[in-house]
Amino acid sequence: MKRTLSGIQPTGIIHLGNYFGAIHNWLPLQKEYECFFFIADLHALTIFQKPEILHRNILDLTKLYLAVGLDPVKNIIFKQSAVKEHAELGWLLSCVTPISELERMTQFKDKSTQHKDNINAGLFTYPCLMAADILLYDTDFVPVGEDQAQHVELTRTIAKKFNNQYGDVLKIPEALINKVSARLKGLDDPEKKMSKSAPSDYNYIAMTDNPDLIRKKIKKAVTDSGTEIKFTPEKPALENLITIYHLTTGKSIEQIEKDFAGKGYGDFKKELAERLVEFLTPIQEKYNSISDADVEKILAAGAEKARKLAQAKMILVKQTIGL
Ligand code: ADP
Ligand code: TRP
């Protein structure tokens, strides 16, 4: 069976952009592939984290994985830091990764501008650890948002370089990118991606936002000039809201335009808010029903399964290198 692997950093709230750009695309993969879904807690340390908040975020993100329907029995759900082979392989890969490749990474450039007071070595070698996450399990497919495509491409380059140098031990993975949802934009600024690090909370809808807050945020979302509900690049704000409507309801863009023919932005936004409430309420109910103890148990069982595979792969890799 082919393998897929993906992860998210536990660095705070998860918004619709993260959900539709990443987790949502993982759901159908469970049927077809052997899946690894992990919490990228080591990656999170490239930005300063308060220990007690980081721990809370790890549990909450795992809860969300479970609440949206990732099955902990069928899939391997675990925490990156619980399988030390990730860091070990990360080091080996950093020794074949050209600095010039790391310097090209958009995320490094963005994050080192955002966090000028903490441009640490981890932020720079981040893609080597990400490559290790992927290559440790002979992953075939890596479902990620568009902004991570560059890192998956670099993973392929690193794996090929390693294989050329030492022999064919690493499997070359492929990115899986869902075009429609690849990049949701900020509700307050449709020129930029929806992001939890945006200056205003009105930039995003968090998966845990309550109905009143969802209604408030959608009402406040910026709109374009004109009145017609039309999906066009000339109306970037509306294009983004229609995409959200499409993703939450499964209705086609054409159908949405038809349904709102002759109606205005106000009507559309009201409906969109209600559809979002309907979509998020059952997820939130499930989320609230999962205890921290349940999560700890699931993470421990997942790590045990992952560790077995990771250890076997590391033995092979180390032999190949001559360690
Ligand atoms: P943020 O920018 O909110 O801090 P992260 O960088 O932690 O988000 O991204 C976590 C995952 O969510 C990644 O797979 C990323 O591709 C995806 N993602 C983040 N923002 C968006 C967005 N606006 N649209 C689509 N996917 C996104
Ligand atoms: N870098 C990814 C992000 O910021 C998270 C991540 C770490 C990841 N390792 C990975 C995603 C391996 C896919 C595969 O979202």
Side-chain angles (χ1 to χ4, degrees):
M1 201 189 259
K2 298 254 187 203
R3 284 186 178 163
T4 71
L5 170 141
S6 199
I8 296 186
Q9 300 182 57
T11 47
I13 57 104
I14 295 293
H15 52 71
L16 285 179
N18 302 134
Y19 177 74
F20 285 116
I23 314 178
H24 177 75
N25 303 318
W26 303 351
L27 296 174
L29 303 174
Q30 303 180 86
K31 285 200 205 95
E32 236 181 292
Y33 303 105
E34 185 179 1
C35 300
F36 297 71
F37 301 122
F38 70 100
I39 307 290
D41 55 352
L42 295 177
H43 276 115
L45 297 174
T46 55
I47 307 290
F48 174 71
Q49 305 290 334
K50 288 208 177 93
E52 61 290 356
I53 296 180
L54 176 61
H55 188 66
R56 188 67 256 155
N57 284 340
I58 291 170
L59 298 177
D60 287 349
L61 180 56
T62 313
K63 258 183 214 182
L64 191 69
Y65 279 11
L66 301 169
V68 300
L70 296 178
D71 180 344
V73 178
K74 267 186 107 210
N75 310 296
I76 303 187
I77 296 181
F78 67 104
K79 196 169 69 170
Q80 186 185 30
S81 63
V83 183
K84 61 182 178 358
E85 285 74 11
H86 287 246
E88 194 178 3
L89 182 59
W91 170 256
L92 300 182
L93 296 178
S94 74
C95 296
V96 298
T97 307
I99 286 189
S100 57
E101 291 283 351
L102 295 172
E103 280 169 344
R104 289 179 43 238
M105 295 297 111
T106 321
Q107 181 175 297
F108 173 68
K109 290 187 211 159
D110 288 351
K111 297 226 160 148
S112 48
T113 321
Q114 267 171 34
H115 304 272
K116 282 208 170 61
D117 52 338
N118 183 19
I119 308 178
N120 57 73
L123 195 62
F124 188 60
T125 58
Y126 181 115
C128 301
L129 179 60
M130 180 156 163
D133 301 335
I134 297 169
L135 301 172
L136 195 51
Y137 301 100
D138 294 329
T139 303
D140 295 282
F141 301 111
V142 187
V144 282
E146 209 172 51
D147 59 336
Q148 293 299 317
Q150 199 184 26
H151 289 157
V152 180
E153 202 44 52
L154 180 53
T155 298
R156 291 164 56 85
T157 307
I158 295 173
K160 285 178 194 162
K161 212 156 178 281
F162 192 96
N163 286 348
N164 277 340
Q165 210 155 308
Y166 294 113
D168 231 356
V169 265
L170 301 177
K171 184 161 207 168
I172 313 296
E174 265 174 58
L176 276 187
I177 293 169
N178 183 329
K179 284 290 170 212
V180 181
S181 56
R183 198 169 269 248
L184 286 185
K185 306 297 193 302
L187 299 178
D188 59 349
D189 181 0
E191 298 301 320
K192 297 211 182 98
K193 76 165 194 167
M194 184 179 283
S195 174
K196 63 185 155 242
S197 40
S200 159
D201 290 356
Y202 283 88
N203 169 275
Y204 57 78
I205 303 274
M207 295 300 286
T208 46
D209 279 349
N210 68 41
D212 281 346
L213 190 54
I214 294 172
R215 292 185 186 108
K216 230 199 246 163
K217 286 184 173 180
I218 295 294
K219 197 165 173 203
K220 261 193 87 165
V222 299
T223 37
D224 316 272
S225 52
T227 52
E228 206 189 350
I229 306 301
K230 198 154 177 40
F231 189 83
T232 155
E234 279 149 40
K235 296 186 172 195
L238 191 61
E239 200 176 40
N240 188 44
L241 294 178
I242 295 178
T243 301
I244 296 176
Y245 197 106
H246 159 69
L247 291 167
T248 19
T249 60
K251 271 197 183 167
S252 69
I253 307 281
E254 299 74 54
Q255 190 59 48
I256 297 166
E257 285 178 338
K258 241 187 235 162
D259 290 353
F260 288 96
K263 294 186 183 157
Y265 291 161
D267 298 312
F268 172 71
K269 281 173 139 189
K270 237 185 234 154
E271 280 293 318
L272 172 60
E274 292 319 310
R275 297 294 83 76
L276 275 169
V277 169
E278 272 168 25
F279 173 73
L280 290 174
T281 302
I283 294 176
Q284 293 173 358
E285 282 169 359
K286 176 94 194 285
Y287 180 93
N288 292 325
S289 75
I290 304 168
S291 71
D292 288 354
D294 292 339
V295 172
E296 302 272 17
K297 250 189 247 155
I298 285 166
L299 287 177
E304 199 172 318
K305 289 189 228 167
R307 217 174 277 132
K308 275 204 189 100
L309 298 163
Q311 283 169 352
K313 185 73 189 180
M314 276 314 288
I315 290 174
L316 199 72
V317 168
K318 283 165 104 173
Q319 269 172 359
T320 313
I321 300 189
L323 288 172

